[in-house]
Amino acid sequence: MAMTNDDAKETDEFQKGVRHLLENGVRKLPSKYVLPLSDRLSVDKEQPTVAKSSLKLPIIDFAELQGPNRSQVLNSLSSACEEYGFFQVVNHGIPIEVIRSMIDVSARFFNLPYEERSKYMSSDMAAPVRYGTSLNQNKDAVFCWRDFLKLVCHPLSDVVSHWPSSPMDF
């Protein structure tokens, strides 16, 4: 089935991100962002706003990495990565002021005009900086209803020059 000009234009608009769609007046969730029924969590008929799930978010206590439970923590970390692909970190030692500052500057980045944010769009999964709406916008059948900014952070001296220059305090 050949892609029409309208289909190509619509796909191009999706690849510009969720914020771009909202800034340009989208009023209905585009089908590109709707999971097939088979991929959705089942919903409890008694409480339709509560998804049924036995998923428990793995929690990794970084403070334990320096103690006698180090091997257990490393096993838990490995298991979380292999089984879930994500986890929550506690006792990481990052001061709350640093976290708040990071959230603030990130929010200001996402509030920049599309033209500024789009400088960091890339289909290169290994790019040191990537802004987008889906992990692989060229292959994903369904996009996530979110925009992201991925920053490679290590070694910082090799990658920080690629990071956004706006907002100024980024």
Side-chain angles (χ1 to χ4, degrees):
M1 175 185 244
M3 186 181 285
T4 67
N5 284 343
D6 286 343
D7 290 339
K9 183 180 178 196
E10 187 175 79
T11 298
D12 184 50
E13 288 300 303
F14 295 147
Q15 291 185 341
K16 292 180 179 178
V18 171
R19 182 154 191 105
H20 178 78
L21 290 173
L22 294 172
E23 290 169 345
N24 286 278
V26 71
R27 296 288 177 247
K28 181 182 170 207
L29 185 66
S31 59
K32 184 71 176 174
Y33 294 91
V34 179
L35 284 172
L37 285 172
S38 59
D39 291 345
R40 298 181 201 171
L41 290 173
S42 61
V43 175
D44 187 329
K45 290 182 181 18
E46 302 290 318
Q47 296 179 297
T49 60
V50 178
K52 289 182 193 173
S53 177
S54 61
L55 179 68
K56 289 196 181 264
L57 180 66
I59 299 173
I60 307 298
D61 187 341
F62 263 33
E64 292 288 319
L65 283 172
Q66 302 302 318
N69 297 329
R70 179 178 173 81
S71 62
Q72 276 183 298
V73 174
L74 291 173
N75 286 338
S76 295
L77 181 58
S78 175
S79 176
C81 291
E82 291 172 13
E83 294 178 32
Y84 295 91
F86 61 93
F87 49 89
Q88 179 181 357
V89 177
V90 296
N91 298 321
H92 45 66
I94 301 171
I96 191 68
E97 300 80 31
V98 172
I99 294 170
R100 286 185 180 133
S101 177
M102 186 264 324
I103 291 170
D104 174 65
V105 77
S106 297
R108 288 186 285 121
F109 172 84
F110 285 101
N111 284 328
L112 291 170
Y114 171 74
E115 292 73 26
E116 185 68 24
R117 296 186 317 261
S118 69
K119 292 177 185 177
Y120 304 98
M121 291 185 125
S122 173
S123 59
D124 178 4
M125 303 284 282
V129 176
R130 280 187 69 219
Y131 168 73
T133 187
S134 201
L135 293 179
N136 191 335
Q137 292 173 208
N138 295 321
K139 292 185 179 180
D140 291 347
V142 178
F143 288 176
C144 295
W145 187 254
R146 55 98 166 106
D147 290 340
F148 70 88
L149 179 64
K150 178 199 94 171
L151 302 168
V152 172
C153 300
H154 187 73
L156 191 59
S157 60
D158 291 352
V159 294
V160 76
S161 63
H162 298 281
W163 285 15
S165 56
S166 186
M168 292 294 289
D169 57 336
F170 200 92

